[in-house]
């Protein structure tokens, strides 16, 4: 068979990752801190870009939007300016990411990026390229992990339910750099709509995190946690911990009387005490502490409705200098200079449009999350509903990957505290007789409540299944066992043995 060369034409479709598409995707997943750093770098790089001064008026003033009768895509009333960006958002979210899309070179200026709209509904109803490859976001931030990051990582791997992780995240946020959690647990329980005993239980789990002694409420508890890990917290040592004032005074005789041991034992115990760490968080970096600022706010209105609005302080207000561009365009320039100015104008226009769409996308996703989880905001963590990315994506007619990027490193400030958007997503447990599905985290919460309230009548996994069925929750015994183990709850046999041993 002879080998020959020939030319063929084939037709096909493919997605080309243009610099503009890469930039739009990158902007969407950046946190507000990273976005601010990126914008500063672009302003330095592009002579046509500038930050809006505080006195300049933002044409996207907040406006009331009527609540839709059904759970459908939120509609934003039109405002002056940026009509093309608004139409692109409403018509097709993916328009901004189409292959080969170029920014409008004819547009020499744009309005400040970032809307500040809000949505209400009834509580009952529910200069160079923009690729950024040469920009290092971590370059200005210490690579050492902070205490709070270390604790949040352990919380994610703790096996706690979503509801308990929300409580744990709040307690971690209240922990100071020394490692102490001195918050009033009653206040946390009231803010989150949780049982104070459950908050106490979550704190005890968190106190098992590394470093040992972390999240203690005082020095005595911190030292006791470290001694318990070493299996050295006997009654004599407990008495020594309770009399730290005598230790400070070097009152050996008083300590002998309080602990019921001789002087030699007291001196040995004090030596053990001095080997402990009274500030367990001091080993972690605290030089680069970045405060978490919410991207959106949720507040309850007097009429029982919820308002969701973007945090205008975190929205980058960027302008394109029309006057400077018009002035430069009239000057005699070489071909490469003209190309540079034209590219800067296109990039500036595209950046502002991308920032505008990023803000609107965050608002849409956050609004749908609040719509789906309105029971949590009204009644607390026990009322979290099952929610996944697809539900939100279908409701607002976006792709799941877009919703995933939006919920990463974005925070929501609510009357119940500050939460990352991804915390509101959980698996679903079907309801009996075709009833409403239940959040897996809410089911775990119910299992924990049943075990906490069982008293002398220890419940087996089968009995828990029967009780949950009465609540309209269809669940298998092995699923109950899996959830129980994830909550670090012993089996019914082990609980009965403990009950008999304590009797």
């Amino acid at each position: 068979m002879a080998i020959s060369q020939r030319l063929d034409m084939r037709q096909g479709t493919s997605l080309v990752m243009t610099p503009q598409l890469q930039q739009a995707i990158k902007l969407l997943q950046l946190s507000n801190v990273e976005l601010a750093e990126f914008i500063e770098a672009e302003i330095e790089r592009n002579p046509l870009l500038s930050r809006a001064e505080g006195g300049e008026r933002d044409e996207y003033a907040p406006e009331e939007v009527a609540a839709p009768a059904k759970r459908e895509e939120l509609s934003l009333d039109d405002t002056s300016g940026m009509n093309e960006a608004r139409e692109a958002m409403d018509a097709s979210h993916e328009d901004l990411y189409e292959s080969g899309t170029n920014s409008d070179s004819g547009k020499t200026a744009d309005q400040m990026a970032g809307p500040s709209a809000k949505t209400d509904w009834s509580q009952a109803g529910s200069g160079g390229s923009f690729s950024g490859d040469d920009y290092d976001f971590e370059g200005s931030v210490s690579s050492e992990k902070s205490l709070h990051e270390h604790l949040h990582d352990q919380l994610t791997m703790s096996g706690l339910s979503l509801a308990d992780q929300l409580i744990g995240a709040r307690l971690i946020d209240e922990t100071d750099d020394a490692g102490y959690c001195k918050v009033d647990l009653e206040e946390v329980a009231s803010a989150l709509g949780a049982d104070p005993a459950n908050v106490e239980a979550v704190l005890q789990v968190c106190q098992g995190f590394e470093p040992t002694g972390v999240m203690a409420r005082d020095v005595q508890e911190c030292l006791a946690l470290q001694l318990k890990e070493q299996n050295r917290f006997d009654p004599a040592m407990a008495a020594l911990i309770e009399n730290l004032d005598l230790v400070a005074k070097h009152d050996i005789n008083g300590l002998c009387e309080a602990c019921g041991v001789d002087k030699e034992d007291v001196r040995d115990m004090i030596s053990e005490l001095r080997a402990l760490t009274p500030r367990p968080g001091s080993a972690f970096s605290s030089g680069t502490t970045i405060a978490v600022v919410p991207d959106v706010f949720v507040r309850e209105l007097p009429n029982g409705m919820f308002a969701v609005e973007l945090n205008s302080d975190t929205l980058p207000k960027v302008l394109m200098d029309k006057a400077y561009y018009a002035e430069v365009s009239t000057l005699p320039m070489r071909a490469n200079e003209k190309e540079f100015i034209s590219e800067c104008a296109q990039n500036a226009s595209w950046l502002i449009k991308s920032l505008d769409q990023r803000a609107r996308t965050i608002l849409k996703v956050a609004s749908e999350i609040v719509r789906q989880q309105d029971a949590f905001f009204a009644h607390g963590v026990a009322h979290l509903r099952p929610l996944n990315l697809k539900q939100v994506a279908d409701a607002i007619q976006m792709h799941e990957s877009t919703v995933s990027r939006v919920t990463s490193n974005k925070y929501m400030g609510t009357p119940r505290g500050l939460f990352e958007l991804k915390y509101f997503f959980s698996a679903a447990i079907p309801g009996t007789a075709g009833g409403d599905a239940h959040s897996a985290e809410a089911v775990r919460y119910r299992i924990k409540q049943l075990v906490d309230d069982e008293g002398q009548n220890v419940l087996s996994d089968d009995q828990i299944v029967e009780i949950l069925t009465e609540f309209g929750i269809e669940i298998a015994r092995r699923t109950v066992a899996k959830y129980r183990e994830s909550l670090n709850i012993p089996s019914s046999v082990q609980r009965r043995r403990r009950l008999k041993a304590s009797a």
Side-chain angles (χ1 to χ4, degrees), residues 41-304:
E42 288 302 321
I43 290 176
E44 291 181 6
R45 192 178 295 153
N46 192 331
L48 299 182
L49 281 174
S50 63
R51 269 200 182 276
E53 297 297 332
E56 297 187 47
R57 180 179 177 271
D58 188 350
E59 295 192 14
Y60 286 98
E63 58 185 24
E64 295 289 338
V65 182
K70 299 179 180 179
R71 292 188 176 183
E72 56 189 10
E73 179 176 342
L74 301 174
S75 60
L76 297 172
D77 289 345
D78 202 8
T79 56
S80 60
M82 289 298 290
N83 289 328
E84 290 189 11
R86 182 71 60 93
E87 291 169 3
M89 184 68 177
D90 293 339
S92 172
H93 176 264
E94 300 300 328
D95 176 69
L96 194 57
Y97 310 114
E98 285 183 1
S99 173
T101 300
N102 295 320
S103 56
D104 298 330
S105 58
K107 293 184 181 179
T108 59
D110 238 318
Q111 310 298 333
M112 284 188 290
S116 181
K118 58 184 177 181
T119 308
D120 299 344
W121 53 81
S122 171
Q123 174 179 304
S126 50
S129 71
F130 287 103
S131 63
D133 294 335
D134 58 341
Y135 188 74
D136 180 19
F137 291 112
E138 290 80 19
S140 61
V141 180
S142 173
S143 60
E144 296 181 17
K145 184 174 290 188
S146 69
L147 174 64
H148 290 84
E149 290 172 338
H150 183 60
L151 294 175
H152 276 293
D153 288 345
Q154 295 178 79
L155 179 66
T156 304
M157 303 298 293
S158 65
L160 293 175
S161 67
L162 174 63
D164 287 347
Q165 284 193 39
L166 289 173
I167 297 172
R170 176 64 176 271
L171 295 174
I172 290 174
D173 291 340
E174 297 289 349
T175 302
D176 59 26
D177 291 338
Y180 287 93
C181 183
K182 299 180 180 180
V183 67
D184 188 337
L185 298 187
E186 292 285 346
E187 292 181 2
V188 173
S190 176
L192 297 178
D195 184 1
N198 190 45
V199 176
E200 176 79 31
V202 173
L203 178 60
Q204 290 179 7
V205 173
C206 294
Q207 287 177 345
F209 294 167
E210 291 290 339
T212 306
V214 75
M215 297 187 69
R217 284 162 285 190
D218 51 41
V219 177
Q220 286 86 348
E221 188 174 32
C222 176
L223 299 176
L225 290 170
Q226 296 178 58
L227 289 167
K228 287 177 182 177
E229 188 198 35
Q230 300 173 12
N231 198 25
R232 284 291 296 121
F233 193 67
D234 51 31
M237 189 64 82
L240 182 69
I241 295 295
E242 292 176 0
N243 292 274
L244 291 180
D245 56 330
L246 297 180
V247 176
K249 296 175 182 178
H250 302 285
D251 187 351
I252 302 299
N253 293 328
L255 290 172
C256 290
E257 183 178 351
C259 300
V261 296
D262 57 28
K263 293 183 178 180
E264 184 177 353
D265 287 336
V266 167
R267 292 190 179 95
D268 290 340
M269 291 163 61
I270 292 177
S271 297
E272 289 185 53
L273 207 62
R274 287 174 177 169
L276 302 178
T277 305
R279 293 173 59 88
S282 60
F284 290 82
S285 172
S286 59
T288 308
T289 302
I290 300 176
V292 175
V293 179
D295 298 88
V296 292
F297 289 113
V298 177
R299 58 188 177 87
E300 187 174 1
L301 301 178
N303 60 359

Side-chain angles (χ1 to χ4, degrees), residues 164-448:
D164 287 347
Q165 284 193 39
L166 289 173
I167 297 172
R170 176 64 176 271
L171 295 174
I172 290 174
D173 291 340
E174 297 289 349
T175 302
D176 59 26
D177 291 338
Y180 287 93
C181 183
K182 299 180 180 180
V183 67
D184 188 337
L185 298 187
E186 292 285 346
E187 292 181 2
V188 173
S190 176
L192 297 178
D195 184 1
N198 190 45
V199 176
E200 176 79 31
V202 173
L203 178 60
Q204 290 179 7
V205 173
C206 294
Q207 287 177 345
F209 294 167
E210 291 290 339
T212 306
V214 75
M215 297 187 69
R217 284 162 285 190
D218 51 41
V219 177
Q220 286 86 348
E221 188 174 32
C222 176
L223 299 176
L225 290 170
Q226 296 178 58
L227 289 167
K228 287 177 182 177
E229 188 198 35
Q230 300 173 12
N231 198 25
R232 284 291 296 121
F233 193 67
D234 51 31
M237 189 64 82
L240 182 69
I241 295 295
E242 292 176 0
N243 292 274
L244 291 180
D245 56 330
L246 297 180
V247 176
K249 296 175 182 178
H250 302 285
D251 187 351
I252 302 299
N253 293 328
L255 290 172
C256 290
E257 183 178 351
C259 300
V261 296
D262 57 28
K263 293 183 178 180
E264 184 177 353
D265 287 336
V266 167
R267 292 190 179 95
D268 290 340
M269 291 163 61
I270 292 177
S271 297
E272 289 185 53
L273 207 62
R274 287 174 177 169
L276 302 178
T277 305
R279 293 173 59 88
S282 60
F284 290 82
S285 172
S286 59
T288 308
T289 302
I290 300 176
V292 175
V293 179
D295 298 88
V296 292
F297 289 113
V298 177
R299 58 188 177 87
E300 187 174 1
L301 301 178
N303 60 359
M305 302 170 70
F306 290 111
V308 182
E309 56 188 335
L310 292 167
N311 183 359
S312 59
D313 292 337
T314 64
L315 296 177
K317 298 175 175 62
V318 184
L319 291 172
M320 180 175 170
D321 195 333
K322 299 184 291 186
Y324 181 65
Y325 176 66
E327 180 182 351
V328 171
S329 299
T330 59
L331 298 176
M333 291 182 289
R334 291 189 292 268
N336 62 334
E337 294 173 340
K338 288 183 180 181
E339 183 181 354
F340 172 74
I341 293 298
S342 177
E343 182 182 354
C344 287
Q346 292 179 7
N347 288 344
S349 178
W350 184 266
L351 174 62
I352 294 173
K353 183 177 181 180
S354 299
L355 291 173
D356 179 80
Q357 180 153 347
R358 176 187 182 274
R360 297 185 188 281
T361 304
I362 292 174
L363 179 62
K364 279 195 171 187
V365 172
S367 298
E368 184 60 26
I369 289 175
V370 175
R371 187 199 306 275
Q372 296 278 0
Q373 298 288 10
D374 59 340
F376 162 76
F377 295 100
H379 306 296
V381 292
H383 299 270
L384 281 167
R385 293 170 180 164
L387 186 64
N388 56 45
L389 296 175
K390 189 177 186 304
Q391 287 176 267
V392 175
D394 290 344
I396 61 178
Q397 297 181 2
M398 291 182 182
H399 196 272
E400 288 182 52
S401 62
T402 302
V403 177
S404 177
R405 292 187 182 97
V406 170
T407 56
S408 177
N409 299 317
K410 309 297 187 303
Y411 292 85
M412 178 184 291
T414 76
R416 296 194 179 277
L418 183 67
F419 304 101
E420 192 171 3
L421 296 185
K422 68 179 181 181
Y423 283 141
F424 294 99
F425 293 87
S426 64
I429 301 297
T432 57
D436 293 337
H438 302 267
S439 166
E441 283 67 31
V443 173
R444 287 191 183 96
Y445 186 82
R446 284 185 180 273
I447 292 173
K448 190 176 188 308

